[in-house]
């Protein structure tokens, strides 16, 4: 565990227990998930009950207690995207990456997740890859996108 990194995160957030979500986001930005050791450390340093931290960590979809891939793909399966073929986008990704929703590829490059509306329904079907939105997708465009990220990884 990188104690210097964790201390930097705590310092940046003023050692303030009310900034717990921001602290967890900063840890996630570095590790792509929340390592147990980091949560234990934060709990001790901020004098917050570990169960309270786990409560927050499991509430927000952007946070994860399990390791995730370099690229986190969120496929919107909300109503507006669904009627525009979101299921086919998910199916294409599952086949292409050889994983199911909620899983990560063996090479740790991709994690595939679903969400219920990304707030830009007019662009559907929409996915995000990490923080970037990609709309107006069809099977072909989706597979091309994966290819581009594979080249970057
Ligand atoms: S339903 Fe997909 S962005 Fe709203």
């Amino acid at each position: 565990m990188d104690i210097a990194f964790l201390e930097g995160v705590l310092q940046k957030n003023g050692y303030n227990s009310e900034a717990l979500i921001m602290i967890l986001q900063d840890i996630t930005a570095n590790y792509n998930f929340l390592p147990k050791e980091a949560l234990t450390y934060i709990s001790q340093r901020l004098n917050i009950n570990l169960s309270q931290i786990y409560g927050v960590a499991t509430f927000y979809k952007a946070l994860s207690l399990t390791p995730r891939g370099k690229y986190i793909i969120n496929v919107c399966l909300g109503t507006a995207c669904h009627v525009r073929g979101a299921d086919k986008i998910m199916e294409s990704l599952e086949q292409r990456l050889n994983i199911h929703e909620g899983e990560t590829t063996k090479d740790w490059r991709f994690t595939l997740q679903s969400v219920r509306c990304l707030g830009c329904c007019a662009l559907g079907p929409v996915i995000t890859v990490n923080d970037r939105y990609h709309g107006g997708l069809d099977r072909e465009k989706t597979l091309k996108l994966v290819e581009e990220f594979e080249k970057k990884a």
Side-chain angles (χ1 to χ4, degrees), residues 10 15-18 20 23 39-53:
L10 289 171
Y15 291 90
N16 184 355
S17 60
E18 289 180 15
L20 180 60
I23 291 167
L39 299 185
T40 303
Y41 188 80
I42 297 297
S43 163
Q44 290 164 352
R45 292 292 282 137
L46 295 182
N47 200 21
I48 306 177
N49 199 318
L50 192 56
S51 63
Q52 187 185 340
I53 296 178

Side-chain angles (χ1 to χ4, degrees), residues 76 78-81 117-121:
C76 179
T79 308
C81 288
C117 192
L118 290 162
C120 51
C121 309

Side-chain angles (χ1 to χ4, degrees), residues 75-92 124-127 137-139 142:
V75 180
C76 179
L77 297 179
T79 308
C81 288
H82 174 75
V83 298
R84 292 180 174 149
D87 287 356
K88 292 206 171 17
I89 302 298
M90 177 62 89
E91 198 181 286
S92 305
V126 185
I127 69 170
L137 295 173
D138 57 21
R139 183 183 162 80
T142 305

